[in-house]
């Protein structure tokens, strides 16, 4: 039981935070939401989370993905192009305008900073591919996210495009670049590598604060919504989120097999290509200067659905892939000179 809690603590916490946040927002008032917004600043939290995760990214394995760029290009095409197109095709099925915007935002944001590498390793994949996809998509999101939102919404949503690009640059790209620059210092790199798991834990705690804000805003949006959010609308958008993620994953996996990529590269490309990050998505959906005037308080709901679902799904898919290709994924044995056995070891 303790081992299960250690592995799944974040999923359990995010479930509790979502439930409590939605309830608090639904039963609270505008003053409650304002107080939460004053305490939780999405732009600052996003920058902190991305900086911590960038500082823990070991970029030394990136050369392996550059030498054979096929899986990298396929993963980038899946993450930046295919997933937004799948979400675009599913928009007519949505029963609530807020959920349409939320689905668009989630499909347009970059790859997860820590999730892609964690689940790639779990599936026995090439970590260099997932790291490179992570860095490129997060570095370019200040351009790709506004482009897709503008294209898909056909200018029907009013938002400051220049301000969105500027804020995403400072909150998303700059922290990633600064984190990697600091890793050039040998002492900082060694220190960051020693506490990688702790950095990841701290980053996830900050993510929970962002999820809390999103959940409270969702609850308040449900309370004040004139249209109302039906159970059918929730089911449809949740299934749509799963279709976007699974559709991107298996399309990438099949194309990787057709191109005869190594199993390690196939699973890395599929996971990094189909995963999406929550901090930037929540930042885009909750920042008042971006969508505050558009009236989409429940747009964060699909973000939470997508993020939670992808980790449950990828756990199953990564484990099945490793079992299927175990003979290819097992590391080659390394010859080690025999060492004298101490008395206590005997």
């Amino acid at each position: 039981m303790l081992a299960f809690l250690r592995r799944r603590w974040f999923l359990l916490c995010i479930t509790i935070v979502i439930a409590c946040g939605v309830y608090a927002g639904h039963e609270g008032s505008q003053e409650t939401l304002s107080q939460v917004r004053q305490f939780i600043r999405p732009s600052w939290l996003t920058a902190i989370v991305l900086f911590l995760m960038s500082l823990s990214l070991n970029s030394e394995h990136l050369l392996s993905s550059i030498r054979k760029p096929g899986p990298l290009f396929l993963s980038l095409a899946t993450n930046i192009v295919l997933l937004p197109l799948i979400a675009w095709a599913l928009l007519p099925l949505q029963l609530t305008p807020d959920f349409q915007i939320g689905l668009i935002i989630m499909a347009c944001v970059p790859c997860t900073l820590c999730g892609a590498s964690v689940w790639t390793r779990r599936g026995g994949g090439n970590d260099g591919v997932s790291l490179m996809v992570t860095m490129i998509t997060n570095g370019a999101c200040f351009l790709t996210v506004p482009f897709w939102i503008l294209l898909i919404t056909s200018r029907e949503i009013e938002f400051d495009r220049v301000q969105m690009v500027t804020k995403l640059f400072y909150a998303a790209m700059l922290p990633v670049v600064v984190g990697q620059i600091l890793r050039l210092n040998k002492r900082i790199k060694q220190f960051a590598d020693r506490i990688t798991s702790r950095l990841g834990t701290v980053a996830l705690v900050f993510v929970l604060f962002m999820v809390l804000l999103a959940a409270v805003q969702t609850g308040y949006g449900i309370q004040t919504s004139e249209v109302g959010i039906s159970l059918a609308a929730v089911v449809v958008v949740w299934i749509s989120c799963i279709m976007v993620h699974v559709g991107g994953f298996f399309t990438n996996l099949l194309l990787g097999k057709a191109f005869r990529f190594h199993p390690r590269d196939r699973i890395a490309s599929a996971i990094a290509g189909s995963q999406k990050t929550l901090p930037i998505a929540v930042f885009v959906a909750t920042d008042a200067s971006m969508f505050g005037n558009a009236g989409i308080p429940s747009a964060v709901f699909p973000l939470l659905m997508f993020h939670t679902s992808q980790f449950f799904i990828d756990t199953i898919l990564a484990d099945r892939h490793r079992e299927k290709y175990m003979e290819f994924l097992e590391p080659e044995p390394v010859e080690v000179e025999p060492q004298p056995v101490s008395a206590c070891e005997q």
Side-chain angles (χ1 to χ4, degrees):
M1 185 63 180
L2 291 177
F4 175 83
L5 292 176
R6 281 196 295 268
R7 292 195 304 267
R8 303 286 186 267
W9 72 269
F10 180 70
L11 295 178
L12 295 174
C13 287
I14 199 173
T15 302
I16 296 172
V17 168
I18 291 173
C20 294
V22 171
Y23 177 80
H26 187 269
E27 300 298 323
S29 61
Q30 177 66 41
E31 183 179 356
T32 303
L33 181 59
S34 300
Q35 291 176 349
V36 176
R37 282 177 173 171
Q38 289 179 357
F39 177 70
I40 302 175
R41 300 299 179 94
S43 58
W44 283 100
L45 288 179
T46 300
I48 293 172
V49 169
L50 297 188
F51 170 75
L52 292 175
M53 299 313 302
S54 176
L55 192 63
S56 65
L57 284 176
N58 188 351
S59 57
E60 294 179 351
H61 301 295
L62 300 180
L63 292 178
S64 62
S65 64
I66 298 176
R67 296 191 189 99
K68 297 180 179 180
L72 171 63
F73 290 152
L74 178 58
S75 189
L76 289 174
T78 302
N79 197 282
I80 298 176
V81 180
L82 179 60
L83 264 62
L85 291 178
I86 297 176
W88 194 353
L90 294 173
L91 284 188
L93 301 178
Q94 308 311 311
L95 305 179
T96 304
D98 290 11
F99 287 176
Q100 290 182 329
I101 305 304
L103 188 62
I104 292 172
I105 294 174
M106 197 68 234
C108 296
V109 296
C111 174
T112 54
L113 268 170
C114 58
S117 295
V118 170
W119 268 263
T120 293
R121 294 181 193 131
R122 187 183 185 103
N126 181 357
D127 199 32
V129 174
S130 62
L131 289 173
M132 184 63 83
V133 173
T134 293
M135 295 182 64
I136 293 177
T137 56
N138 280 272
C141 74
F142 73 101
L143 296 175
T144 58
V145 173
F147 167 79
W148 277 112
I149 292 177
L150 180 62
L151 177 64
I152 296 177
T153 59
S154 301
R155 301 177 183 269
E156 293 177 359
I157 298 176
E158 296 181 2
F159 63 92
D160 192 327
R161 301 171 186 84
V162 176
Q163 193 169 34
M164 176 178 282
V165 171
T166 303
K167 285 205 168 189
L168 282 172
F169 174 81
Y170 286 114
M173 181 178 181
L174 195 58
V176 174
V177 174
V178 172
Q180 287 297 301
I181 290 176
L182 289 178
R183 283 187 63 88
L184 296 177
N185 182 285
K186 187 176 181 180
R187 291 184 178 180
I188 295 178
K189 176 181 176 297
Q190 291 176 345
F191 176 73
D193 289 341
R194 286 197 303 269
I195 62 170
T196 296
S197 60
R198 296 179 184 177
L199 290 175
T201 300
V202 173
L204 291 178
V205 171
F206 282 118
V207 170
L208 288 175
F209 280 107
M210 298 183 66
V211 171
L212 176 61
L213 172 61
V216 172
Q217 182 165 313
T218 298
Y220 184 74
I222 294 174
Q223 177 196 151
T224 57
S225 176
E226 297 179 358
V227 178
I229 298 177
S230 64
L231 178 60
V234 173
V235 172
V236 169
V237 75
W238 204 326
I239 293 176
S240 299
C241 290
I242 294 174
M243 290 177 64
V244 172
H245 177 66
V246 174
F249 183 96
F250 280 105
T251 299
N252 189 295
L253 203 63
L254 291 174
L255 288 175
K257 189 173 183 179
F259 294 146
R260 297 183 179 180
F261 295 155
H262 191 278
R264 288 182 183 274
D265 296 330
R266 292 206 299 264
I267 190 63
S269 180
I271 289 177
S274 60
Q275 283 197 2
K276 293 291 183 176
T277 185
L278 182 63
I280 295 178
V282 173
F283 169 52
V284 173
T286 58
D287 191 277
S289 65
M290 294 187 184
F291 286 99
N293 298 326
I296 50 170
S298 301
V300 294
F301 216 52
L303 315 184
L304 304 179
M305 296 175 183
F306 189 104
H307 190 266
T308 305
S309 300
Q310 73 179 358
F311 286 156
F312 281 106
I313 293 171
D314 286 355
T315 298
I316 299 173
L317 295 177
D319 289 346
R320 290 188 62 182
H321 186 273
R322 187 176 187 91
E323 291 173 1
K324 184 176 180 180
Y325 296 99
M326 182 63 71
E327 64 272 20
F328 298 104
L329 302 178
E330 284 298 318
E332 296 180 1
V334 179
E335 294 184 1
V336 181
E337 294 183 2
Q339 301 293 330
V341 181
S342 61
C344 60
E345 289 175 334
Q346 291 177 344

